[in-house]
């Protein structure tokens, strides 16, 4: 961390304005550009500052008065502190006094010939208190001019102040000594008040000597009058004047040459001294050509301080020429600050120079020729316009690439970055690099660093910021989100309102979206983090946050759509492997669905669902994210139900379009099923020769498994990933799978019951059988045997796949058989005794054999069939015995049909 600058010394410690001082301290900057501020006694001295090292700065003091601090401000350390002070004061400047400012010279008055008084140079004033200055050699620490601004310690001055004199000469003297000195002073004053007589008495010898001297002078003057006359002074005056004229005549030529030489020397000295002024027009022009505007500002400020109020004509003429040059430089600067692209620091530097030049040139004759209200605001508008043009140029460039077919290559070659992704990278790079410059320029304007004569415009700047961010999001939304019909129509409306060209309408594939949307989201998030670090207002950040949420939602939707596409193709990968241990008959199809869901949820979690800085959860209750998740999950489960239906209805050319006719003339039907099943008790088939009936039974088992176990279990899958459970989608899917189960069950029952029931009547009347011509028999009729065998065949086929389907399938088949038997018995016109007994035995045996799978309707049909058979007197016991015998003979078939489903 860079430390704040500290000033520890200054030399000299006092002086008038313009004093050249050397400032010493610590952490005064690592280079000249680090020094951004210098004040001495509250006066800005940065223009005259000359950075030497991190411990030394040379500058000239400004127009300040009194004591003050020396404050240094650096770019890294900020505003510093000081441990010393500088005292600034004004003093009267005479012809012989050096000055840092120009003093108008006037011809010196000629000195009259005559007596000149000489100041006593070696005179030492006696102390009026009669005290010694021992112990008072050190100077009083405080500046007495601050304590007595209108006083003086000199006894000869009219503004003499006793306090100043005592502090200056006797600050270490004790109070008792001061009282003794006061007594001494009083005695001296009293002694001077004595009369003239006492004075003469005390000085009688001196008075006598003076009288003797006067008598001697009188005698000498009398003698001189006798020798030289009575007016010797007049002759002396004539002689002296003659010698003066002779000397003037003798040295006239020498004095004239000397005056010329002095004049020439003075002119050369003045030109050398003011070379800076005369060369300034060319100097500022050359510095401006090199973009060294700091030099222009410093030199112009210096010349204004030195010659701004001069009345010398030549100086005024040069200053007017300099003002014209500065006016041209201001026009040049105003044009340069609006030229883009350029760095914000360079732009700020030129704005500061322009503001300084404008302030310094105020009041001159050319000041009104160029009026720039607010150069910083002009620079802000230029940078905002450049940012807008850069966005539009990138949009037109990349949308044009896609319209010309560049996107088709990226779709065929995965190594090529798609045009939309390239556009996203370019836009986020532009936003991350140029938008901070615009924001920093605006902040520098509003905090006063770049403030001109006009007040700032916060409302307009806010509008510029919001417009730039909205354009950034609109362009990206048009390229990345305009793939669905809803998004495309919305983007088209926004583009039409804002005058933007529409992005080509070709929709990217799901593979493109899955691969590149998370990549685009990362780039947008990086730009968003850059904007957050700028401390933008929430209103601006919320615009980008809304777009990020839309992109996250669209990314999640795309991942789930891709999962839905994979689910739709599951029927191509079905191997009919009965690998589910939780439910007999279910295949690995639900497990494959779960794998797809887990993969999709993991991808969504990594790509878009994990919130970053300032982002909220995407799947909050009653949010668009939760509704989208439920909708897509509903589509996936619906597609899965469609896959099961497709598998159930899909038949090959080798599959029979209807069940074989189950008749004794054809043979026992279970042989075909046993031939197709694998040996042993294994329930896994990878054989593609599995029959359609078996596939239909597997689909029915999958329906029951999904409804009872798998679909409810999906809720825990979402809970494990901290997702909201789409309860409504799961319940709707269970309803859908139940409807599918009912339709498939009806199809299978119809497929099995129609041939089975259709063989009962032909088998019953085989060989011109008539119920009134039946002979005595204690065996079961052939049609009854065949009916039971067919039921056992259906039972074995179901039991081999899924025992849970026995009751749902066999109950309607048994009901149909019972209904058919009731119809046939009702249609018999006449029974003989043996025929009635045989029919009664057949119906009872069949009823008892299928009792487990007989519902109330089937039982009523059996009763109806028995009621249609005429009763035989005293035959009940005989019938029971016959039924018992027959049931014992066919106990194997009956045992099969007595096994209840688990």
């Amino acid at each position: 961390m860079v430390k704040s600058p500290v000033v520890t010394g200054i030399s000299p410690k006092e002086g008038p304005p313009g004093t050249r001082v050397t400032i010493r301290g610590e952490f005064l900057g690592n280079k000249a550009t680090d020094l951004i501020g210098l004040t001495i006694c509250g006066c800005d001295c940065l223009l005259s500052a000359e950075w030497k090292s991190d411990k030394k700065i040379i500058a000239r003091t400004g127009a300040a008065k009194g004591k003050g601090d020396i404050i240094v401000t650096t770019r890294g350390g900020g505003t510093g502190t000081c441990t010393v002070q500088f005292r600034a004061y004004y003093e009267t400047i005479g012809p012989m006094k050096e000055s840092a400012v120009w003093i108008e010279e006037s011809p010196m008055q000629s000195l009259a010939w005559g007596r000149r008084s000489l100041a006593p140079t070696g005179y030492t004033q006696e102390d009026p208190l009669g005290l010694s200055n021992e112990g008072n050699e050190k100077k009083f620490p405080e500046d007495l001019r601050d304590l007595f601004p209108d006083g003086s310690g000199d006894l000869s001055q009219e503004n003499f102040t006793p306090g100043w004199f005592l502090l200056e000469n006797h600050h270490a003297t004790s109070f008792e000594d001061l009282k003794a000195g006061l007594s001494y002073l009083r005695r001296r004053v009293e002694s001077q008040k004595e009369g003239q007589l006492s004075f003469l008495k005390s000085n009688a010898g001196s008075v006598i000597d003076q009288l003797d001297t006067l008598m001697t002078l009188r005698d000498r003057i009398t003698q001189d009058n006798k020798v030289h006359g009575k007016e010797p002074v007049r002759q002396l005056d004539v002689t002296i004047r003659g010698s003066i004229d002779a000397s003037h005549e003798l040295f006239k030529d020498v004095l004239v040459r000397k005056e010329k030489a002095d004049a020439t020397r003075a002119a050369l000295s003045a030109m050398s001294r003011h070379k800076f002024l005369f060369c300034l027009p060319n100097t500022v022009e050359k510095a401006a050509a090199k973009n060294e505007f700091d030099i222009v500002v410093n030199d112009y400020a210096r010349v204004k301080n030195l010659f701004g109020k001069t009345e010398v004509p030549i100086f005024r003429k040069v200053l007017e020429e300099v003002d014209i040059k500065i006016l041209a430089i201001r026009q040049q600067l105003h044009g340069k600050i609006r030229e883009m692209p350029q760095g914000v620091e360079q732009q700020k530097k030129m704005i500061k120079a322009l503001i300084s030049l404008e302030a310094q040139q105020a009041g001159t004759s050319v000041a009104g020729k160029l009026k720039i209200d607010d150069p910083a605001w002009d620079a802000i508008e230029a940078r905002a316009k450049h940012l807008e043009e850069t966005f539009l140029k990138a949009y037109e460039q990349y949308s044009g690439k896609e319209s010309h077919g560049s996107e088709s290559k990226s779709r065929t070659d995965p190594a090529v970055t798609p045009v939309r992704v390239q556009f996203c990278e370019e836009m986020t790079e532009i936003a991350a690099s140029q938008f901070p410059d615009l924001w920093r320029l605006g902040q520098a304007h509003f905090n006063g660093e770049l403030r001109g004569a006009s007040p700032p415009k916060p409302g307009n700047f806010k509008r510029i910021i919001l417009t730039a961010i909205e354009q950034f999001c609109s362009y990206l939304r048009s390229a990345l989100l305009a793939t669905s019909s809803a998004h495309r129509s919305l983007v088209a409306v926004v583009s039409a309102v804002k005058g933007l060209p529409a992005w080509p309408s070709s929709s990217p594939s799901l593979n493109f979206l899955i691969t590149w949307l998370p990549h685009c989201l990362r780039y947008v998030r990086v730009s968003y983090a850059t904007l957050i670090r700028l401390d933008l207002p929430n209103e601006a950040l919320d615009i980008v946050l809304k777009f990020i949420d839309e992109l996250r939602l669209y990314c999640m939707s795309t991942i789930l759509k891709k999962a839905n596409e994979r689910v739709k193709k599951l029927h191509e990968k079905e191997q009919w492997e009965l690998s589910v241990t939780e439910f007999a008959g279910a295949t690995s199809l639900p497990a494959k669905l779960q794998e797809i869901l887990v993969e999709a949820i993991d991808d969504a979690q990594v790509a878009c669902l994990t919130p970053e800085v300032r982002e909220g959860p995407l799947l909050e209750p009653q949010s668009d994210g939760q509704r989208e998740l439920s909708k897509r999950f509903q589509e996936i489960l619906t597609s899965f139900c469609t896959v099961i239906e497709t598998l159930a209805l899909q038949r090959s050319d080798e599959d029979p379009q209807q069940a074989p006719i189950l008749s004794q003339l054809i043979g026992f039907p279970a042989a075909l099923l046993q031939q197709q099943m694998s040996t042993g008790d294994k329930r896994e088939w990878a054989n593609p020769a599995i029959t359609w009936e078996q596939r239909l039974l597997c689909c029915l088992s999958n329906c029951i498994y999904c409804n009872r176990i798998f679909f409810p279990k999906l809720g825990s899958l979402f809970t494990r990933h901290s997702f909201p459970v789409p309860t409504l989608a799961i319940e709707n899917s269970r309803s859908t799978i139940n409807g599918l189960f009912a339709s498939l069950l009806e199809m299978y029952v119809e497929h099995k019951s129609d041939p089975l029931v259709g063989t009962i009547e032909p088998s019953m009347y085989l060989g011109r059988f008539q119920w009134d011509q039946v002979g005595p028999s204690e065996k079961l009729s052939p049609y009854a045997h065949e009916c039971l065998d067919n039921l056992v065949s259906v039972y074995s086929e179901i039991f081999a796949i899924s025992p849970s389907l026995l009751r749902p399938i066999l109950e309607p088949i048994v009901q149909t058989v019972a209904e058919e038997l009731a119809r046939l018995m009702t249609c018999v016109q006449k029974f003989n005794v043996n025929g009635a007994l045989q029919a009664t035995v057949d119906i009872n045996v069949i009823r008892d054999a299928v009792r487990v799978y007989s519902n109330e309707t089937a039982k009523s049909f059996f009763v109806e069939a028995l009621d249609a058979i005429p009763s035989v007197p005293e035959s009940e016991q005989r019938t029971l015995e016959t039924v018992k015998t027959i049931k014992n003979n066919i106990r194997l078939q009956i045992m099969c049909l007595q096994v209840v489903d688990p």
Side-chain angles (χ1 to χ4, degrees):
M1 180 177 179
V2 181
K3 296 184 179 180
S4 301
V6 179
V7 176
T8 58
I10 184 169
S11 177
K13 295 184 177 181
E14 60 183 10
T19 301
R20 189 173 186 269
V21 295
T22 301
I23 302 170
R24 300 188 182 275
E26 300 288 340
F27 314 114
L28 303 181
N30 297 324
K31 52 185 177 180
T33 55
D34 288 347
L35 182 63
I36 60 175
L38 174 63
T39 59
I40 301 177
C41 298
C43 184
D44 188 1
C45 302
L46 180 62
L47 293 177
S48 63
E50 182 180 356
W51 185 88
K52 294 297 185 180
S53 68
D54 61 340
K55 297 182 180 181
K56 181 179 178 181
I57 297 175
I58 296 177
R60 288 189 178 274
T61 60
K65 184 177 181 181
K67 275 193 174 183
D69 294 332
I70 303 95
I71 303 300
V72 176
T73 304
T74 61
R75 193 178 305 278
T79 303
T81 58
C82 69
T83 60
V84 296
Q85 288 185 323
F86 180 83
R87 190 181 69 82
Y89 59 87
Y90 288 94
E91 62 181 4
T92 303
I93 301 175
M96 304 301 293
K97 183 69 175 179
E98 292 185 1
S99 174
V101 296
W102 174 257
I103 303 299
E104 298 298 334
E105 298 181 357
S106 59
M108 296 184 63
Q109 301 292 333
S110 60
L111 297 176
W113 290 93
R115 180 178 298 174
R116 291 178 295 177
S117 60
L118 297 177
T121 58
Y123 176 70
T124 302
Q125 187 179 44
E126 182 183 359
D127 192 288
L129 299 178
L131 299 177
S132 172
N133 61 352
E134 183 177 356
N136 295 279
E137 295 84 359
K138 294 184 178 180
K139 187 177 180 181
F140 189 70
E142 297 294 333
D143 192 344
L144 297 176
R145 277 175 287 198
D146 295 337
L147 298 177
F148 308 99
D150 298 326
S152 173
D154 190 356
L155 291 170
S156 61
Q157 298 295 325
E158 294 181 357
N159 58 347
F160 170 74
T161 303
W164 184 323
F165 177 81
L166 291 176
L167 290 175
E168 184 177 22
N169 298 283
H170 298 288
H171 59 271
T173 305
S174 65
F175 184 68
E176 297 297 330
D177 291 341
L178 290 176
K179 289 198 299 182
L182 179 59
S183 300
Y184 172 77
L185 181 59
R186 286 175 177 172
R187 288 194 302 270
R188 290 190 59 184
V189 172
E190 292 296 332
S191 65
Q192 292 179 2
K193 292 181 180 179
E194 296 178 1
Q196 297 180 357
L197 181 60
S198 61
F199 175 78
L200 291 175
K201 288 180 179 180
S202 60
N203 298 283
S206 299
V207 172
I208 294 174
D209 291 340
Q210 292 172 4
L211 290 175
D212 292 340
T213 302
L214 290 175
M215 293 298 294
T216 304
L217 286 174
R218 188 190 67 176
D219 296 339
R220 291 291 301 270
I221 291 173
T222 302
Q223 293 177 3
D224 290 340
N225 287 336
K226 292 179 180 180
V227 177
H228 302 290
K230 293 184 178 181
E231 296 184 357
V233 177
R234 179 178 297 176
Q235 295 180 3
L236 180 62
D237 180 61
V238 172
T239 304
I240 292 173
R241 289 183 180 277
S243 63
I244 291 174
D245 292 338
S247 63
H248 282 176
E249 188 67 25
L250 178 63
F251 293 100
K252 182 178 181 179
D253 294 338
V254 176
L255 291 176
V256 169
R257 289 196 301 270
K258 180 179 181 300
E259 289 177 358
K260 290 183 178 179
D262 291 342
T264 303
R265 190 180 300 106
L268 293 175
S269 176
M271 292 183 63
S272 176
R273 181 179 179 184
H274 305 299
K275 178 182 178 182
F276 165 72
L277 173 63
F278 296 120
C279 296
L280 188 60
N282 291 332
T283 301
V284 296
E285 190 173 10
K286 292 179 181 178
K290 297 178 182 179
N291 291 331
E292 296 176 349
F293 297 105
D294 290 343
I295 297 177
V296 176
V297 173
N298 292 336
D299 289 350
Y300 188 62
R302 182 181 174 189
V303 78
K304 293 292 287 184
N305 288 334
L306 296 176
F307 304 99
K309 298 180 180 180
T310 184
E311 297 298 332
V312 179
I314 185 63
F315 290 170
R316 298 300 305 171
K317 184 176 180 180
V318 175
L319 282 178
E320 290 176 0
E321 184 179 354
V322 171
D323 287 337
I324 295 174
K325 296 289 185 181
I326 294 299
L327 180 64
I329 292 174
R330 285 175 55 200
Q331 293 175 340
Q332 178 185 355
L333 275 173
H334 190 242
K336 281 184 174 292
I337 62 175
R338 293 179 295 176
E339 292 179 0
M340 300 300 295
Q342 63 174 314
V344 66
E345 294 301 326
Q346 178 67 18
Q347 202 172 18
K348 288 168 63 176
K349 182 178 178 181
M350 290 190 291
I351 293 172
K352 291 179 182 179
L354 182 57
I355 293 174
S356 298
L357 291 177
E358 184 175 5
Q360 294 169 10
Q361 205 169 31
T364 61
S365 58
V366 298
K369 295 183 179 180
L370 178 63
K371 182 63 176 178
I372 303 174
D373 293 335
D374 196 346
W377 182 252
D378 294 342
I380 291 173
E381 289 183 335
R383 187 167 287 277
K385 183 178 180 181
H386 173 68
L387 180 61
E388 179 181 351
E389 292 174 350
T390 306
F391 283 156
L392 180 59
K393 182 179 179 181
Y395 184 84
E396 292 175 345
Q397 176 185 355
Y398 287 97
S399 61
K401 282 185 180 180
E402 183 158 331
S403 62
H404 287 94
S406 299
E407 185 69 16
S408 59
K409 182 178 180 181
S410 63
R411 293 182 183 179
T412 57
D413 188 359
V416 178
T417 304
V419 174
R420 296 172 188 262
V421 180
Q422 295 178 17
F423 172 69
C424 178
E425 294 175 355
E426 180 70 17
M427 289 291 290
T428 52
E429 177 65 25
I430 292 172
S433 60
Q434 296 190 21
F435 192 86
D437 292 343
L438 174 62
W439 176 255
R440 284 195 289 267
L441 188 63
Q443 292 303 299
H445 176 50
F446 287 102
N447 61 22
E449 182 181 353
L450 303 178
R451 186 171 300 175
S454 301
K457 308 172 183 178
N460 294 341
F461 183 67
K462 180 180 179 181
R463 175 183 54 80
I464 288 176
I465 294 298
L466 295 180
T467 301
I469 294 181
E470 286 176 354
Q471 288 180 345
F472 169 70
C473 296
S474 298
Y475 286 127
L476 289 178
R477 187 179 287 109
S478 177
L480 300 179
L481 299 184
T483 54
S484 65
S485 58
H487 278 102
R488 188 180 299 114
S489 60
L490 176 62
V491 172
V493 171
V494 175
S495 299
V497 171
K498 297 186 177 182
L500 302 178
W503 193 276
S505 59
S506 60
S507 299
S509 63
L510 282 177
N511 289 330
F512 159 79
L513 296 174
I514 291 292
T515 305
W516 294 103
L517 267 183
H519 177 80
C520 296
L521 178 60
R522 284 195 298 272
Y523 269 84
V524 176
R525 279 174 164 170
V526 169
S527 298
Y528 184 52
T530 302
L531 299 181
I532 291 176
R533 287 193 293 270
L534 295 178
D535 197 19
L536 291 175
N538 291 334
E539 185 178 356
L541 295 176
D542 289 342
I543 297 175
V544 186
L545 180 61
K546 180 182 178 182
F547 171 67
I548 290 178
D549 289 341
E550 292 177 3
L551 192 58
R552 292 171 63 197
L553 181 61
Y554 187 58
C555 186
M556 180 193 72
S557 177
T558 304
I559 292 174
L560 295 179
K561 284 182 180 179
K562 179 62 177 179
N564 189 23
E565 294 295 324
R566 294 177 58 191
V567 170
K568 290 179 180 179
K569 299 179 181 179
L570 283 178
H571 67 279
E572 301 175 359
K573 301 179 181 180
E574 179 59 73
Q575 300 295 324
W576 305 104
E577 298 177 356
L578 307 184
S579 57
V580 179
T581 59
E582 298 172 316
F583 191 87
T587 66
S588 59
L589 194 65
K592 294 178 181 177
L593 171 62
Q594 183 173 357
E595 291 177 1
I596 294 175
L597 287 175
V598 170
E599 184 178 347
I601 291 175
D602 289 339
D603 291 343
Q605 184 76 36
V606 173
C608 57
L609 294 182
T610 302
E612 294 190 1
V613 180
R614 210 177 173 272
E615 297 177 3
L618 191 62
L619 302 178
E620 291 182 343
Q622 305 301 323
S623 64
D624 293 340
Q626 185 176 12
R627 287 191 287 271
E628 182 71 15
L629 175 66
S630 179
K631 176 182 176 182
R632 298 305 173 192
F633 184 65
Q634 177 72 60
E635 292 177 354
I636 291 174
L637 295 184
T638 302
S639 299
F640 182 71
C641 296
T642 305
V643 168
I644 295 178
E645 184 178 8
T646 302
L647 291 171
L649 300 179
Q650 187 177 12
R651 297 191 187 185
S652 64
D653 296 337
E654 299 177 357
D655 290 327
Q657 299 302 312
Q658 61 182 6
I661 298 177
L662 305 180
S663 174
Q664 291 179 346
L665 300 177
I666 298 176
F668 189 65
L672 179 61
L673 177 63
Q674 293 173 354
Q675 201 172 15
Q676 292 173 343
M677 291 175 58
S678 60
T679 59
D681 194 26
K682 296 181 180 177
R683 293 182 178 177
E684 288 192 10
W685 301 311
N687 188 358
I690 183 173
T691 63
W692 174 76
E693 289 88 350
Q694 293 170 342
R695 295 199 296 270
L696 187 57
L697 288 174
C698 290
C699 291
L700 289 170
S701 299
N702 282 335
C703 289
I704 297 178
Y705 171 65
C706 290
N707 179 46
R708 295 180 182 176
I709 302 174
F710 180 68
F711 282 175
K713 188 173 64 176
L714 289 179
S716 61
L717 174 64
F718 284 86
T719 304
R720 187 166 61 250
H721 288 79
S722 301
F723 284 12
V725 179
T727 307
L728 181 61
I730 293 176
E731 293 302 322
N732 291 338
S733 300
R734 291 183 68 183
S735 176
T736 303
I737 205 73
N738 283 336
L740 177 61
F741 174 78
S743 62
L744 295 181
L745 179 65
E746 182 181 357
M747 181 187 301
Y748 185 82
V749 170
E750 182 180 354
H751 180 76
K752 287 296 183 181
S753 62
D754 288 351
L756 188 148
V757 173
T759 61
I760 295 178
E761 185 175 3
S763 299
M764 180 183 293
Y765 294 103
L766 186 65
R768 297 181 181 181
F769 174 81
Q770 297 294 329
W771 286 105
D772 59 351
Q773 299 177 4
V774 178
S777 175
E778 294 183 355
K779 295 182 180 180
L780 191 64
S781 298
Y783 80 90
H785 264 297
E786 186 175 59
C787 182
L788 290 176
D789 289 342
N790 288 338
L791 288 173
V792 170
S793 174
V794 174
Y795 176 93
S796 63
E797 183 178 33
I798 299 172
F799 186 82
I801 300 297
S802 178
S804 300
L805 296 174
L806 289 173
R807 184 173 296 280
I809 296 176
L810 289 179
E811 277 190 359
I813 294 178
V814 169
Q815 178 180 333
T816 305
V817 170
E819 182 180 5
E820 179 67 12
L821 290 175
R823 184 187 69 81
L824 292 175
M825 293 298 105
T826 305
C827 294
V828 176
Q829 296 179 356
K830 184 180 180 181
F831 288 93
N832 61 9
V833 175
N834 291 328
L837 292 174
Q838 185 66 45
T840 302
V841 170
D842 291 341
I843 298 301
N844 281 317
V845 170
I846 294 175
R847 183 184 64 178
D848 293 344
V850 297
R851 187 181 300 276
V852 175
Y853 299 102
S854 298
N855 53 27
E856 295 300 325
T857 303
K859 291 177 181 180
S860 65
F861 282 129
F862 282 122
V863 172
E864 181 181 349
L866 292 174
D867 291 342
I869 302 172
S871 61
V872 179
E874 299 179 358
S875 62
E876 183 177 353
Q877 184 63 30
R878 178 182 174 188
T879 301
L880 293 175
E881 293 178 356
T882 303
V883 169
K884 183 178 180 180
T885 301
I886 292 174
K887 289 171 66 176
N888 186 47
N889 292 335
I890 61 170
R891 61 184 179 276
L892 182 60
Q893 289 90 332
I894 294 176
M895 287 175 60
C896 291
L897 294 175
Q898 296 303 314
V899 179
V900 185
D901 57 300

